[in-house]
Amino acid sequence: MDAATAPARWLRAREKEENFPVALRWLPREPRRHLHAVYAATRLIDEIGDAAPGDRVSQLLALRAELAAMWQGHAPDDPVLRMLAPAVTACALPQDAFQELIEANLIDQRVNHYATFDDLLGYCRLSANPVGRLVLAVFDQSTAETVALSDQVCSALQILEHCQDVAEDHAAGRIYLPLRDLAEAGVSEASLATGGPGAPACRAVIRLQVDRCESLLEAGAPLVARLTGWARIAVAGYIAGGCATVRALRACDGDVWSNPVRPRHVDTVASMVTLLGKATVVSQ
């Protein structure tokens, strides 16, 4: 089942795969609808870039043109983009955020590894950080400060997902773990398929990325206190999902090969309560 034939069902299936709640049930209907629509559009872009049969570059460029046409008042043909259209108008969503996401997927067609962690963060500036800007726009709470904090959170969430998907990415011909870290740990690229005979070293590289992501989440966590109303609750859910994923990756000692690593719901809820409690104290 794909986005073109059943967008609602496709969307529900993809949302269940995420480490964080895409649109908390507690939120009012309107922002929930807009968040679902934004998420569906971002996943559509990724689906084309990662798995579409045929010429993915041409398909991404066609989607780029259709998205641009939306901001010029043209009704889109794609059912997922039709879901997005009301949010574009109601929330004044930034077109450049979607264009950057498409650019990240175009990069994926020609770049399959990153030398350093800083290089990976550069990729996240296109592949992940625009999503945070879209969420802030949904709640009309975009400022220079909130965007900067959001960028750190989004980069962390993206890299944590890369850690979970090492074998899957390797099978697709991509390596998101920094090559310098692999080399310093003595990990061969081939061993990323299964963890290999160098399993302890492979796990050490994962743990290093998890430590870095935890630092990014901690640096971005003050975002919760900078937001108000439903935005605070929604974003706390995203950060909490990241914190729970950090805990899950630590619990398995970086072994993402033996079994799928997923955050526990109870850990997400506990982190969310903590984040909201701290934000309340700070904002008083």
Side-chain angles (χ1 to χ4, degrees):
M1 191 66 64
D2 61 26
T5 57
R9 188 176 303 176
W10 170 82
L11 174 60
R12 287 195 297 271
R14 295 301 181 273
E15 287 188 1
K16 290 179 181 179
E17 299 171 358
E18 297 296 345
N19 291 325
F20 49 81
V22 171
L24 289 163
R25 294 182 181 275
W26 311 327
L27 298 177
R29 179 178 178 181
E30 204 63 4
R32 285 189 74 231
R33 183 164 65 92
H34 294 326
L35 290 173
H36 283 306
V38 165
Y39 176 78
T42 62
R43 282 307 302 254
L44 173 63
I45 294 168
D46 285 344
E47 290 276 320
I48 293 174
D50 290 343
D55 187 344
R56 295 177 187 171
V57 171
S58 294
Q59 294 177 64
L60 287 166
L61 292 176
L63 184 62
R64 169 184 278 176
E66 189 169 8
L67 276 163
M70 288 177 61
W71 270 262
Q72 296 172 358
H74 299 286
D77 294 325
D78 187 282
V80 172
L81 298 190
R82 287 201 297 271
M83 291 170 55
L84 178 66
V88 168
T89 302
C91 306
L93 297 181
Q95 180 187 170
D96 66 323
F98 291 102
Q99 299 297 343
E100 288 173 355
L101 293 171
I102 290 177
E103 181 60 29
N105 278 272
L106 289 169
I107 290 172
D108 280 337
Q109 309 314 306
R110 62 181 189 271
V111 177
N112 59 13
H113 61 269
Y114 293 88
T116 68
F117 188 72
D118 283 344
D119 292 336
L120 184 57
L121 287 177
Y123 170 70
C124 288
R125 279 192 277 274
L126 295 173
S127 68
N129 299 0
V131 179
R133 299 206 308 271
L134 290 166
V135 170
L136 293 174
V138 165
F139 293 101
D140 192 23
Q141 298 202 30
S142 300
T143 66
E145 183 181 25
T146 59
V147 168
L149 292 169
S150 172
D151 284 352
Q152 297 188 78
V153 171
C154 290
S155 289
L157 294 177
Q158 176 76 80
I159 296 169
L160 287 170
E161 184 178 334
H162 289 325
C163 289
Q164 293 167 282
D165 296 342
V166 169
E168 179 183 337
D169 289 333
H170 183 269
R174 296 175 184 168
I175 298 174
Y176 290 106
L177 298 179
L179 297 186
R180 179 179 295 174
D181 296 338
L182 295 175
E184 290 178 351
V187 175
S188 68
E189 294 182 12
S191 68
L192 297 179
T194 61
C202 289
R203 294 198 299 269
V205 174
I206 295 292
R207 293 196 301 269
L208 174 59
Q209 313 315 313
V210 172
D211 289 345
R212 289 166 168 167
C213 289
E214 183 176 46
S215 295
L216 286 170
L217 288 171
E218 289 176 352
L223 173 62
V224 179
R226 303 297 189 275
L227 302 176
T228 59
W230 293 109
R232 174 177 290 185
I233 295 172
V235 171
Y238 301 144
I239 299 175
C243 294
T245 305
V246 166
R247 175 173 285 192
L249 286 163
R250 287 220 172 106
C252 72
D253 194 31
D255 182 3
V256 297
W257 293 273
S258 298
N259 293 291
V261 179
R262 305 293 304 165
R264 298 193 309 164
H265 178 70
V266 64
D267 290 336
T268 299
V269 172
S271 293
M272 187 173 175
V273 169
T274 299
L275 286 163
L276 289 172
K278 289 181 178 178
T280 300
V281 171
V282 168
S283 58
Q284 284 179 345

